[in-house]
Amino acid sequence: MINLSGKIALITGASRGIGAATAIKFAEAGVRGIVLNYNRDRRAAAGVSDQCKKLGAEAIIARADVARVSDVEKLMRATVEHFGAVDILVANAGIWKEAAIDKMTEAEWDETIDTNLKSIYACCAEAARVMVPKRSGTMILVSSTAGQRGEAFHSHYAATKGAIIAMTKSLAAELGPRGIRVNCVAPGWVATDMTAEALTDPKQRRKIRELIPLGRVATTEEIAGPILFLASGLASHVNGEVLNVNGGSVLCG
């Protein structure tokens, strides 16, 4: 039922995890073109690109540090030059690093704020400049349950994810009248490279599972599916929504 035929998508942090799974879901749904952003792992991004191409999508990879506004400007310009448009933005790039508040350095704070939040500003601003003249487009921002309930020893991370929720609601109100939908997914625990250390420890893994009513962490595909829905015509009247995908661990409206 979901058909992205003719659409062009830009996905940040697409070399692994949720971003990679989303790219593959989009390709399965018939997206015409995908730009797979990566920062360090070109080989992984190329592997995702190959999978998308096998599914019929035209996929290109593009290196950019999305915490740098100038890099995002170049990324968006390259996307438009290659495909002629950007219909879907998935702002997914992010980091998750532990730091107690009394030990956290300014550099640690800045790294997380820039990577997780400044990147959202840069990507949304550049996407809006492309989408507003067409009065068409959709943005999906990736937040987290940490932005809803907080997270001990990750206050900098939680702060960025809470801000992303506020950005979603603000931009939905601002850009909706100009034909652009802005929504958000808020995953809970997901099995990715970023969470591997916590999830491989048996005691930690058991504790995490006990907090989730469904009794398990999500796969990346289980986050990519809701992102695909929000990008599709099935969500044509959904705007400013925070879609919780957490197995019931955080229940909020």
Side-chain angles (χ1 to χ4, degrees):
M1 291 178 63
I2 294 181
N3 186 350
L4 298 183
S5 177
K7 300 295 185 182
I8 304 301
L10 168 59
I11 305 173
T12 67
S15 64
R16 61 178 186 164
I18 293 170
T22 299
I24 292 166
K25 284 285 186 189
F26 279 16
E28 290 173 343
V31 75
R32 179 168 75 86
I34 313 177
V35 177
L36 306 170
N37 159 250
Y38 73 98
N39 188 19
R40 295 185 180 88
D41 197 341
R42 180 182 177 86
R43 179 176 294 182
V48 178
S49 176
D50 288 344
Q51 292 182 69
C52 292
K53 289 175 182 176
K54 288 177 182 177
L55 292 166
E58 182 180 353
I60 63 172
I61 62 173
R63 186 187 181 281
D65 178 356
V66 291
R68 298 172 60 89
V69 172
S70 60
D71 275 21
V72 176
E73 290 172 348
K74 293 174 184 176
L75 174 64
M76 193 64 64
R77 186 163 57 249
T79 301
V80 173
E81 287 175 355
H82 187 90
F83 286 112
V86 178
D87 301 299
I88 304 163
L89 168 69
V90 180
N92 163 74
I95 59 174
W96 179 68
K97 295 184 178 182
E98 183 172 315
I101 192 62
D102 56 333
K103 302 286 197 306
M104 189 187 301
T105 66
E106 182 179 1
E108 288 173 321
W109 171 266
D110 286 346
E111 180 189 25
T112 294
I113 296 297
D114 287 353
T115 304
N116 292 8
L117 184 57
K118 187 179 178 183
S119 66
I120 296 291
Y121 148 71
C123 290
C124 290
E126 287 302 313
R129 292 182 182 113
V130 175
M131 294 176 179
V132 166
K134 300 189 309 170
R135 298 188 63 81
S136 176
T138 184
M139 305 180 193
I140 301 102
L141 316 183
V142 179
S143 179
S144 166
T145 53
Q148 298 166 315
R149 58 169 169 73
E151 185 171 2
F153 303 102
H154 296 84
S155 58
H156 50 346
Y157 175 81
T160 64
K161 295 303 182 176
I164 289 170
I165 290 172
M167 284 278 289
T168 297
K169 295 178 180 181
S170 299
L171 294 180
E174 178 179 335
L175 297 175
R178 291 185 271 182
I180 300 160
R181 296 185 298 109
V182 184
N183 291 292
C184 173
V185 293
W189 282 95
V190 185
T192 67
D193 292 348
M194 197 163 64
T195 61
E197 185 176 348
L199 294 175
T200 51
D201 178 83
K203 290 183 180 180
Q204 181 76 348
R205 185 170 65 247
R206 190 181 313 112
K207 183 179 179 181
I208 290 167
R209 287 176 175 172
E210 288 172 353
L211 297 173
I212 305 171
L214 288 184
R216 60 179 180 81
V217 302
T219 66
T220 55
E221 291 77 13
E222 289 175 312
I223 311 303
I227 293 173
L228 173 61
F229 162 72
L230 289 173
S232 76
L234 293 180
S236 59
H237 203 61
V238 179
N239 189 35
E241 178 62 25
V242 180
L243 183 52
N244 301 308
V245 192
N246 58 46
S249 61
V250 176
L251 302 174
C252 56

